[in-house]
Amino acid sequence: MKAIIPAAGLGTRFLPATKCSAKELLPVLDKPVIQYVVEEALEPEGVDGVVIINSHDKPEIERYFSVDDDFESMLRSRGKGGLADAVHAASSLPVSFVYQDEPLGLGHAVHCAAEEVGDEPFFILLGDYFVPDRQMCVNMARVSEEHGGASVIAVAPVPADQVSRYGIIAGECVGSLPGFDATGEQEGAVWKVTGLVEKPSPEEAPSHLFIVGRYLLSPAIMDLLANQGAGAGGEIQLTDSMERLLENEEMYALVVDPKDGCDTGTPAAWAATNARMALASDTFRAAFLEELGAAAKDLA
Ligand code: G1P
């Protein structure tokens, strides 16, 4: 079973930093953002590989996940065995690449991995967000198992004035994740999805639950994506094919707390994520607080 990470975007929100290096390789502390997402993707039982949908303009992502014996030997010869191990660990992850040549939308990007996915259900993890405890996809797999292997997406409540930024679901609450006594929009509630709309106006939105960017989908979605027309924003939308999938298959949504994850989609969110991860890190916390204390003194 595979997990897909679309990573062919231009990274315009981070320009000029992303003019000649991929936003997916921006570090959170000492590791690139995309490595956190890859490690999260490999957590659910049964996932044995990650397929990154890349653009030919960003060969550095594939290079990052490739073995570089000379570089590792150089580090070891300088007594930096620990760093060599960290470099090697990244290149040992089961990651493969497919390339999207035209930026036609998320649905088009996902369809680029149709051959790699084959006849198995698969995860999609959007790369501007990662979940440090890696449990969100694991819980989605539990919901899927309870419902005969149906597709499951993660959703969360969003204020009415922000629905037009996201995919929004229609449906009804039908239960909760084992161990959660949740209903409605509470974390752990499980909904049966009856409709999906990409970037609706507040008047059109059928609920206030938005798609968070974690999907466990039936392989049947690939045939639908193959002939999906352009939707919101003129792009081939994954959400539109998911809406068509509902004609033949069941789909469920797990309500999650988006704050279980870290946002890296804008410079401000990325900076806050670095701070949050530094405070949670035994390696970096003390030095980070010292640096921050010095900066705060300068401000006072
Ligand atoms: C994509 C999806 C949308 C989802 C969002 C989550 O939109 O199309 O349904 O809610 O990710 O971040 P994008 O952010 O690419 O516009």
Side-chain angles (χ1 to χ4, degrees):
M1 181 179 184
K2 300 289 178 245
I4 292 179
I5 303 177
L10 285 174
T12 38
R13 285 179 178 157
F14 283 89
L15 282 169
T18 45
K19 181 190 167 200
C20 48
S21 61
K23 83 167 172 189
E24 290 78 11
L25 293 182
L26 286 168
V28 169
L29 304 178
D30 56 356
K31 221 160 63 172
V33 165
I34 196 164
Q35 190 174 342
Y36 291 89
V37 187
V38 168
E39 288 166 350
E40 181 190 342
L42 289 167
E43 191 75 12
E45 216 180 292
V47 177
D48 60 3
V50 174
V51 183
I52 294 178
I53 320 287
N54 198 7
S55 109
H56 284 294
D57 296 331
K58 300 195 284 189
E60 61 273 22
I61 302 181
E62 187 159 351
R63 195 174 151 213
Y64 178 77
F65 287 106
S66 305
V67 178
D68 186 339
D69 288 328
D70 291 345
F71 186 60
E72 284 176 34
S73 305
M74 181 275 287
L75 288 172
R76 289 190 204 285
S77 73
R78 295 182 183 194
K80 299 190 186 305
L83 292 178
D85 289 346
V87 167
H88 188 77
S91 57
S92 304
L93 292 164
V95 174
S96 62
F97 287 81
V98 296
Y99 284 87
Q100 182 191 24
D101 289 317
E102 287 173 287
L104 299 179
L106 178 60
H108 178 257
V110 169
H111 186 256
C112 291
E115 243 173 69
E116 285 68 15
V117 161
D119 292 332
E120 298 290 325
F122 63 102
F123 281 97
I124 305 169
L125 293 90
L126 302 189
D128 279 347
Y129 178 79
F130 67 87
V131 181
D133 77 4
R134 303 177 191 166
Q135 290 308 295
M136 197 177 282
C137 290
V138 174
N139 287 335
M140 290 162 63
R142 288 165 73 196
V143 174
S144 174
E145 210 170 292
E146 282 209 335
H147 292 279
S151 298
V152 176
I153 54 177
V155 296
V158 65
D161 62 350
Q162 289 172 30
V163 289
S164 61
R165 296 187 202 167
Y166 300 105
I168 303 291
I169 67 158
E172 55 169 345
C173 181
V174 292
S176 68
L177 190 65
F180 281 77
D181 185 18
T183 55
E185 297 185 350
Q186 290 171 336
E187 183 187 356
V190 174
W191 286 47
K192 186 160 192 291
V193 179
T194 55
L196 297 128
V197 197
E198 182 67 15
K199 303 196 169 65
S201 66
E203 299 74 42
E204 288 164 339
S207 78
H208 290 156
L209 290 174
F210 82 100
I211 305 170
V212 166
R214 295 291 179 271
Y215 310 73
L216 170 53
L217 294 181
S218 148
I221 195 79
M222 289 297 189
D223 288 340
L224 299 171
L225 284 171
N227 59 20
Q228 182 64 54
E235 297 190 340
I236 297 174
Q237 296 289 356
L238 176 62
T239 307
D240 293 343
S241 287
M242 288 164 60
E243 161 86 3
R244 287 164 61 213
L245 186 65
L246 291 177
E247 290 168 21
N248 299 313
E249 294 191 13
E250 291 189 345
M251 185 182 298
Y252 292 84
L254 172 65
V255 181
V256 300
D257 181 353
K259 293 200 183 66
D260 286 346
C262 297
D263 185 358
T264 57
T266 62
W270 169 79
T273 287
N274 268 281
R276 181 173 159 190
M277 293 299 285
L279 291 173
S281 156
D282 291 341
T283 311
F284 293 102
R285 186 187 311 109
F288 177 66
L289 286 172
E290 200 175 309
E291 298 280 355
L292 208 56
K297 247 187 226 155
D298 287 348
L299 281 177

